[in-house]
Amino acid sequence: MNNFLESIINRDPAAKSKLSVILTYPGVKAVFFHRIANFFSIAKLDLLARMISQFSRFLTGIEIHPKAKIGENLFIDHGMGVVIGETSEIGNNVTIYHMVTLGGISPSIESNEQRNVKRHPTLKDNVVVGSGAQVLGPIEVGKNAKIGANAVVTKDVPENAVMVGIPAKNVGTTTEEFKPYGITPISGK
């Protein structure tokens, strides 16, 4: 828990203390409740798992399916409107901003054919997903990749790529500082 909180403080200049992160960050609460819901999901107590997940959604505005696989130190910044689908897999030290969807692309018809099938994305370690981005389908986002605000990603993303636009296109690598909101410094300041 200490490493988790420290990782958030290192990524968020607004974080003043571990206590404030615990008490006021909805992403921390959502990850905490997900760990509990995931435990019950693994134990095949799906209804209880979904009830915990929905309670967490009510409290935080963040919906994480109990079966989603989440690595260490996930930071959901602000969080409102984040949706993480059932077969999503998230690596370590990933940062997700508000209004992000890790979703499927299959229509809601023929649901039985879609059960137990990978439908949602996999985010490898150190990925950053900017606000409003939609990462859709059973794709893989490589290590250290950055997804810009409001991008729509429907194809695999290579390691260290910077993806922007609709549909998202690779515009470079993450050798420079990445700005998840697409803001650049004002010249002369």
Side-chain angles (χ1 to χ4, degrees), residues 18-32:
K18 291 177 184 174
L19 183 60
S20 72
V21 169
I22 290 169
L23 295 176
T24 65
Y25 279 50
V28 170
K29 293 175 185 68
V31 170
F32 171 77

Side-chain angles (χ1 to χ4, degrees), residues 14 22-23 31 33 52 65 78 84 92 102 105 116 118 135 161 167 183-184 186-187:
I22 290 169
L23 295 176
V31 170
F33 280 112
I52 293 166
H65 193 284
H78 300 290
I84 299 173
N92 299 323
L102 304 182
I105 55 172
N116 302 313
K118 176 82 168 140
V135 185
I183 303 298
T184 57
I186 299 170
S187 62

Side-chain angles (χ1 to χ4, degrees), residues 89-95 121-129 139-145 157-159:
E89 296 177 47
I90 299 173
N92 299 323
N93 304 308
V94 169
T95 302
T122 297
L123 308 183
K124 296 294 187 175
D125 296 346
N126 305 310
V127 167
V128 176
V129 184
I139 63 172
E140 184 173 291
V141 178
K143 289 181 180 180
N144 306 310
V157 174
E159 288 186 8

Side-chain angles (χ1 to χ4, degrees), residues 22-50:
I22 290 169
L23 295 176
T24 65
Y25 279 50
V28 170
K29 293 175 185 68
V31 170
F32 171 77
F33 280 112
H34 171 72
R35 300 280 187 221
I36 297 169
N38 183 255
F39 171 84
F40 286 112
S41 179
I42 290 169
K44 306 268 190 251
L45 297 169
D46 293 324
L47 178 59
L48 181 56
R50 288 303 298 262

Side-chain angles (χ1 to χ4, degrees), residues 25-183:
Y25 279 50
V28 170
K29 293 175 185 68
V31 170
F32 171 77
F33 280 112
H34 171 72
R35 300 280 187 221
I36 297 169
N38 183 255
F39 171 84
F40 286 112
S41 179
I42 290 169
K44 306 268 190 251
L45 297 169
D46 293 324
L47 178 59
L48 181 56
R50 288 303 298 262
M51 290 171 61
I52 293 166
S53 172
Q54 291 302 298
F55 177 70
S56 175
R57 178 182 176 208
F58 172 77
L59 288 179
T60 66
I62 299 167
E63 182 172 344
I64 306 174
H65 193 284
K67 290 186 178 177
K69 295 176 183 169
I70 296 177
E72 298 298 316
N73 302 327
L74 171 62
F75 177 32
I76 303 173
D77 196 3
H78 300 290
M80 184 59 72
V82 168
V83 176
I84 299 173
E86 177 182 24
T87 62
S88 296
E89 296 177 47
I90 299 173
N92 299 323
N93 304 308
V94 169
T95 302
I96 297 175
Y97 288 88
H98 53 284
M99 301 303 292
V100 166
T101 299
L102 304 182
I105 55 172
S106 301
S108 60
I109 55 174
E110 299 174 356
S111 293
N112 284 332
E113 293 176 17
Q114 299 176 47
R115 294 188 207 293
N116 302 313
V117 173
K118 176 82 168 140
R119 305 182 315 277
H120 301 92
T122 297
L123 308 183
K124 296 294 187 175
D125 296 346
N126 305 310
V127 167
V128 176
V129 184
S131 61
Q134 307 297 298
V135 185
L136 305 173
I139 63 172
E140 184 173 291
V141 178
K143 289 181 180 180
N144 306 310
K146 310 301 183 223
I147 310 296
N150 297 312
V152 177
V153 182
T154 58
K155 295 182 178 166
D156 287 348
V157 174
E159 288 186 8
N160 302 309
V162 177
M163 305 295 289
V164 298
I166 304 171
K169 293 182 179 18
N170 187 346
V171 296
T173 60
T174 59
T175 56
E176 297 178 13
E177 181 183 357
F178 174 71
K179 305 210 175 10
Y181 295 113
I183 303 298

